[in-house]
Amino acid sequence: EDKVVQSPLSLVVHEGDTVTLNCSYEVTNFRSLLWYKQEKKAPTFLFMLTSSGIEKKSGRLSSILDKKELFSILNITATQTGDSAVYLCAVRLGNKLVFGAGTILRVKS
Amino acid sequence: EAQVTQNPRYLITVTGKKLTVTCSQNMNHEYMSWYRQDPGLGLRQIYYSMNVEVTDKGDVPEGYKVSRKEKRNFPLILESPSPNQTSLYFCASSPHRDGDEKLFFGSGTQLSVL
C-alpha cells in the first residue's frame, strides 16, 4: 500500500526559531513530491521536487528530496507567526496524489 | 482570475437526501480531482478525472459519484449521504503534464450529514 508519513505531527516554536519538517514515503511509480501550506482552508502550493539533491528555495523556506532514502524535508528559517499552518506533503504516483496527514506548526510570538 | 470554484461553502443535510457539490475551473486544466479531509487522516482522494468522460476511483470512492461532461466542471454527487461522510471536501485541478503538476484547490465545502 502506498504511504506518505509526515513528522512530527505537531510542534510549537518561538518566533525566530528554525524548523525542519519531515516527509517519508513508500510508494510505487514515484513521479514527484509536493509541499503545501494550509492556513484556513484551501492548501496553497509551496514546492514541487522531482530530482534528488536539488534544493528548492523561496524566501525563508527551502526543501530537498532524497530519492534513495525516500524522504524530503521542508526547512523554515527565522520563523514568524504567519508561518503557523498545517504543512502537507504529497507524492504523485502516476495519475494520483497521495497526501500525508500533515504537520501542524504553531509559531508563538 | 484563475481559480477553482466550489459551491456551496457550507452544507448541512440529513441522512439519505441526495446532494451535489459543484466544482468549476477556468484554467482549461485536463486533470480534476476530489478530496476529503478528516482530522488526523490528511487529504484522501475520492475520484479523479484525466479528461472529459474519463474518471477513475481514488482511495475512498465508496458512497460518491462524479461526472466529467465538460472540461471545466467536475461535480461530486452523494446519492444517499451518511454521517460518516461528514467532512471537509476539496476540489482541485492541475495541468498535470510532466513537470507541471501543481494542484490548484478550491476553497472547500464543509459538509455535515445529520
Side-chain angles (χ1 to χ4, degrees), chain B residues 55-104:
Chain B
T55 62
D56 277 300
K57 294 178 181 178
D59 294 318
V60 288
E62 295 78 20
Y64 304 95
K65 282 174 56 175
V66 292
S67 68
R68 187 95 182 270
K69 294 186 169 52
E70 306 163 281
K71 197 171 187 180
R72 62 184 291 125
N73 295 323
F74 191 45
L76 179 70
I77 302 154
L78 285 72
E79 295 268 4
S80 183
S82 62
N84 65 12
Q85 292 178 297
T86 292
S87 187
L88 178 58
Y89 291 87
F90 288 104
C91 178
S93 73
S94 164
H96 216 64
R97 295 182 292 270
D98 283 347
D100 190 2
E101 296 153 4
K102 184 170 88 173
L103 266 183
F104 293 79

Side-chain angles (χ1 to χ4, degrees), chain A residues 31-32 36 38 92 95-96, chain B residues 31 37 59 98 101 103:
Chain A
R31 299 287 294 271
S32 59
Y36 285 84
Q38 186 176 22
R92 182 184 168 193
N95 294 323
K96 290 174 57 175
Chain B
Y31 182 93
Q37 187 174 32
D59 294 318
D98 283 347
E101 296 153 4
L103 266 183

Side-chain angles (χ1 to χ4, degrees), chain A residues 23 49 61 67 78:
Chain A
C23 175
L49 304 152
L61 278 68
K67 288 169 78 172

Side-chain angles (χ1 to χ4, degrees), chain A residues 15-63:
Chain A
E15 268 192 317
D17 288 349
T18 292
V19 298
T20 298
L21 310 183
N22 303 293
C23 175
S24 64
Y25 58 92
E26 292 176 29
V27 302
T28 55
N29 198 21
F30 174 92
R31 299 287 294 271
S32 59
L33 186 144
L34 299 95
W35 284 96
Y36 285 84
K37 178 182 181 183
Q38 186 176 22
E39 292 177 85
K40 294 207 169 99
K41 281 287 176 83
T44 54
F45 173 79
L46 293 175
F47 298 111
M48 186 179 82
L49 304 152
T50 54
S51 303
S52 269
I54 298 176
E55 187 182 48
K56 295 257 178 131
K57 277 185 75 86
S58 176
R60 295 176 294 102
L61 278 68
S62 63
S63 183

